[in-house]
Amino acid sequence: MANLLRPAILAAARSSRIKSAITHAPGTRSLVTRFVAGEARDDALAATRALLDSGRAISIDHLGEDTTDVDQARAIVAEYRSLLGDLAELAEAPGSHRLEVSVKLSALGQALPVDGDKIALDHARELCEAALAAGVWVSVDAEDHTTTDGALSIVSALRADYPWVGAVLQAYLRRTESDCRDLAGPGSRVRLCKGAYREPASVAFQSAAEVDDSYRRCLAILMDGDGYPMVASHDPAMIDAATAEARRTGRGPDRYEHQMLYGIRDVEQQRLADSGARMRVYVPYGAQWYGYFMRRLAERPANLTFFLRSLATRT
């Protein structure tokens, strides 16, 4: 059932008509708040404080993508700069790096018709400089496969001055094993996730079993390398695989981390944090939550069932 629903939901994520219907549905907001900290920065900061108090680390994403206007890109950069200023007050001792921001290059202008990659790189440099001053890490989020080469090129350019910039790789892409080998060098932070976009079979594995096998292979490459693997998965099997790989390669809890999304498997997040593992929570916020929300529905049929039930029982 999940394999049948996923393409339809991801197609709906690009539909302006369906977006209008869902964003105006009375039952939508109650489910969105399960996955999104809120629309305002203060909402994200409140969630961040609570998670930090629980012993978890944070990666905050100001939601936005597919920016096609320079002014809009500048507005997103300004919001991130303000966010980093607020996070500087929450930063602890230098080197603890419990705080991170995640950025989508398409939000910074990568999709602009003229000089998109250059504009996105310039904006990302600006954010990295502000993050350095705040004591906060930055990771460059993955998007659909057409952006991968550009994103990794920008990450490489950023790392010349900010070697701590994280890259995000998606295990469902057939190319990712090779990318893992390229990015497994000393100090390289790599977030490995399964993948959340609709991709053709020519570039991406389609079955859950194939994606799982790819994830395990990629995880082994990263654990064998000299970088810092970030295991972004809610799947108990992948969490167990990460623990086994860390044991095999002699990695202590300071040399890799687990990552999960805000609102998903909170009890397991806390269990990992309490066990001494590094556990980072991806906290999204902002008014442009629709695309992110739809990808969360596509990942688990239970999310969609809950959403439809909330619409059917609204008063």
Side-chain angles (χ1 to χ4, degrees):
M1 178 62 73
N3 287 340
L4 295 175
L5 289 174
R6 179 180 167 86
I9 297 171
L10 292 177
R14 295 289 187 179
S15 168
S16 58
R17 180 176 60 84
I18 297 176
K19 176 181 179 180
S20 178
I22 288 179
T23 55
H24 290 93
T28 298
R29 194 59 52 127
S30 62
L31 182 57
V32 170
T33 56
R34 293 184 60 190
F35 304 120
V36 178
E39 294 194 357
R41 191 186 327 134
D42 284 347
D43 298 325
L45 291 171
T48 293
R49 291 186 185 96
L51 289 165
L52 289 174
D53 287 345
S54 75
R56 285 170 276 186
I58 305 295
S59 185
I60 303 184
D61 176 20
H62 174 54
L63 294 171
E65 52 194 277
D66 299 332
T67 297
T68 57
D69 179 86
V70 173
D71 290 339
Q72 184 182 2
R74 287 302 307 165
I76 290 172
V77 171
E79 174 62 22
Y80 267 108
R81 288 182 65 92
S82 296
L83 172 64
L84 287 164
D86 290 333
L87 291 178
E89 299 179 6
L90 298 178
E92 296 181 340
S96 64
H97 293 300
R98 290 215 296 161
L99 296 169
E100 177 192 73
V101 295
S102 290
V103 298
K104 285 184 171 57
L105 293 174
S106 68
L108 302 186
Q110 188 181 34
L112 292 171
V114 179
D115 293 331
D117 280 348
K118 180 181 183 302
I119 291 169
L121 174 57
D122 289 344
H123 285 161
R125 285 188 190 279
E126 184 177 340
L127 294 184
C128 286
E129 190 62 27
L132 180 63
V136 176
W137 269 342
V138 175
S139 281
V140 174
D141 262 335
E143 301 183 64
D144 72 74
H145 81 278
T146 64
T147 69
T148 303
D149 282 332
L152 294 183
S153 177
I154 287 174
V155 167
S156 178
L158 291 172
R159 283 181 170 180
D161 296 311
Y162 312 100
W164 37 263
V165 169
V168 181
L169 299 178
Q170 301 178 103
Y172 70 168
L173 295 180
R174 298 179 185 275
R175 62 174 288 167
T176 299
E177 280 186 72
S178 176
D179 290 333
C180 284
R181 292 188 182 92
D182 292 341
L183 291 171
S188 175
R189 294 196 310 121
V190 178
R191 178 192 300 160
L192 180 65
C193 61
K194 288 189 178 182
Y197 292 82
R198 186 183 185 187
E199 303 284 14
S202 57
V203 300
F205 300 111
Q206 301 296 302
S207 75
E210 287 179 312
V211 175
D212 285 353
D213 287 345
S214 176
Y215 196 101
R216 289 188 177 91
R217 293 193 300 270
C218 292
L219 183 60
I221 292 168
L222 294 175
M223 289 288 190
D224 278 327
D226 296 316
Y228 182 79
M230 300 181 287
V231 185
S233 179
H234 308 97
D235 185 343
M238 298 305 112
I239 294 169
D240 289 345
T243 302
E245 285 293 335
R247 187 182 303 114
R248 178 182 68 81
T249 56
R251 286 181 179 267
D254 60 330
R255 295 183 58 207
Y256 77 104
E257 68 182 46
H258 295 276
Q259 297 190 355
M260 294 189 193
L261 300 173
Y262 178 79
I264 300 182
R265 299 202 72 198
D266 186 74
V267 172
E268 176 64 2
Q269 291 180 21
Q270 192 62 62
R271 184 194 71 79
L272 286 166
D274 291 344
S275 74
R278 286 189 174 179
M279 176 69 244
R280 191 178 302 274
V281 184
Y282 186 95
V283 179
Y285 79 100
Q288 297 186 51
W289 50 260
Y290 176 73
Y292 177 87
F293 172 68
M294 294 299 285
R295 290 192 290 273
R296 300 295 76 78
L297 291 186
E299 286 174 348
R300 295 181 67 239
N303 293 338
L304 179 61
T305 300
F306 184 90
F307 175 55
L308 294 176
R309 187 182 301 120
S310 72
L311 294 183
T313 59
R314 69 182 185 272
T315 58

